[in-house]
Amino acid sequence: MKSSKPRRIITPVKPQRVRDPVHNLIEFGTGQFEHTLWRVIQEPPFQRLRRIRQLGFSEFVFPGATHTRFAHSIGVFYIARSLMKLIERHVGNASGQFLEYQSRLALAAALVHDVGHGMFSHAFEEVARDFNLDMGKHEDVSKAVIKDSEITNVFNTELGSGFSNDVADLIGSKEPGSLYDAVVSSQFDADRLDYMQRDRLMTGVQSSGFDLPWLLANLEIGSVQTGTDDEGTGSIETLVLGPKAAQTAESYVLSLFHLYPNVYLHKTTRGAEKIFGVLVRRMLRLGLDGQEALVGLASNHPLIRFVKDPTRLAHALVLDDAVFWGALPMLIEAQDSQIQKLAKALYERHLPAGIDIRRQVEMALPIKKDEPRPHWRARLTLVCAQIEAALKAEPLADPDGAARILVDRYERVPYKRYADSNSPLNRILIRMGVGEPGDVAEMSPVIAGAEPFSIFRAYVFRDDTEARQVVENIVRTEIGGSTNGHA
């Protein structure tokens, strides 16, 4: 009688699905590549993104803005895959060769591009840059995580040795190097196409909408010259919008631009970010000076391990929004009075008042008759720079001191023209007829004439009349000097 060998039972791979408020159903297929990406999602570095909110302190203004970088990252992959299918169709119709490896690199990069974000994302990065820490640029941290973590093992085991390094290098590149790279990083990339929709939906902001299905339906692949008219150096294929999408492309650029004053640079959100930044700075100063006991947390708390040795990337990666919020009740009981004050301000949402200095300067120095607007803006910028320098020279504005005056200045351009981006792959191009596609800024007089959006504010606590008076006196003095012909 023959002995029967046990039969090997093969468990079929099932498609995995994610319900998403923006894209509805996002499915990861049963093929090896998408199954590998699904495995990456299960790893701790990616799961950590569940505990980092996409918009940081924006929920102080928009209660629904509690969505995470986890959801955003999956959404970016979804859009990147849609763009990549378009590229594959174009290459097939043109009887060309679709670069499967390049495609996979771009899709993997789209999924993991945010794994390097720290707690409260950009607010934490600002502090890290001041202290010259590795967490000062999330793209660099993402590269480090992808090259040396559980994600590395999954990528290299399933998709070949060196795959993780190639993904990390793509994320770290300053400009897209190919049509495939542009899906991940350009002015019309999957990242922007997701967060613009997601942030608008979750904040409830009714403006800043654009017709994504129409944009995608009119997306083509076109060839553009890589050099100037005088120095043609060849051509390169890139994403191009058809003529029917011209107005929608204009709406896309302006929608992103409007998200900044309406959401990202909201005065209350920025005020909370400034308080957070000063609080973390104070904790770092105490930790680096060996006075971490004054912070009010146990010696094995993740925040204490970080402030004692912030140069170790592993210490920073343990931190997330949940760790910080959980520490606030203890920080309120800290021995250090400044930490007490700042922690309580965030915990109870007693945020500082914002003084709109830019607006005051604009009202005091209106545009003159027949004065070109660029000249007027230059005058405003000069006075704002003088006020900023005077404020930062004040002891009350020292971020490592009492920090009773918090200065916030920022400028955002609506669209980077070719001269500012160095690559045609980083432009939004439109084909309006025969000939080479043109830049949206050249096709749209609205975008061509759009000025940068500028903010300049000072924040003071509402009961600090002395700090407010210092700000008002400096603003009054500098504006007075300008109106008297000194600037």
Side-chain angles (χ1 to χ4, degrees), residues 139-352:
E139 293 90 350
D140 292 342
V141 182
S142 292
K143 286 178 59 178
V145 172
I146 294 166
K147 288 184 175 182
D148 186 16
S149 71
E150 296 90 340
I151 290 176
T152 316
N153 298 331
V154 176
F155 274 154
N156 291 346
T157 301
E158 297 293 330
L159 302 176
S161 175
F163 187 84
S164 62
N165 285 341
D166 291 343
V167 171
D169 291 342
L170 173 54
I171 289 175
S173 59
K174 295 182 179 180
E175 294 280 356
S178 70
L179 171 63
Y180 302 86
D181 299 352
V183 169
V184 184
S185 177
S186 67
Q187 292 193 87
F188 190 71
D189 60 18
D191 184 26
R192 287 172 176 83
L193 291 173
D194 181 81
Y195 76 63
M196 287 177 66
Q197 297 179 90
R198 192 173 302 276
D199 295 349
R200 177 176 180 265
L201 173 67
M202 304 308 288
T203 57
V205 172
Q206 297 303 305
S207 59
S208 301
F210 67 99
D211 193 345
L212 178 61
W214 187 249
L215 283 177
L216 296 181
N218 287 276
L219 200 59
E220 310 167 355
I221 308 298
S223 180
V224 295
Q225 189 175 341
T226 55
T228 63
D229 291 338
D230 298 329
E231 299 179 1
T233 58
S235 62
I236 191 170
E237 286 192 322
T238 186
L239 296 171
V240 175
L241 289 167
K244 293 182 179 179
Q247 281 71 42
T248 309
E250 180 182 87
S251 176
Y252 164 79
V253 173
L254 296 179
S255 294
L256 175 58
F257 187 51
H258 289 155
L259 277 171
Y260 278 82
N262 292 334
V263 178
Y264 307 139
L265 300 178
H266 192 284
K267 64 178 182 179
T268 302
T269 302
R270 296 286 284 191
E273 290 175 354
K274 289 296 175 180
I275 292 295
F276 168 81
V278 174
L279 175 56
V280 175
R281 288 181 71 99
R282 181 62 177 168
M283 294 169 61
L284 278 167
R285 287 297 181 201
L286 292 174
L288 293 173
D289 291 342
Q291 301 181 68
E292 66 274 3
L294 300 179
V295 174
L297 300 174
S299 59
N300 63 344
H301 193 281
L303 278 167
I304 292 298
R305 288 203 296 265
F306 169 71
V307 300
K308 287 176 65 177
D309 185 5
T311 60
R312 289 190 60 184
L313 187 59
H315 287 173
L317 289 173
V318 173
L319 304 179
D320 53 45
D321 297 7
V323 168
F324 180 80
W325 286 123
L328 275 184
M330 292 171 280
L331 294 176
I332 292 173
E333 302 296 328
Q335 296 181 45
D336 183 81
S337 59
Q338 188 172 355
I339 287 183
Q340 284 184 17
K341 178 182 178 180
L342 297 169
K344 189 173 183 179
L346 287 177
Y347 192 67
E348 298 180 354
R349 198 189 178 277
H350 291 160
L351 301 177

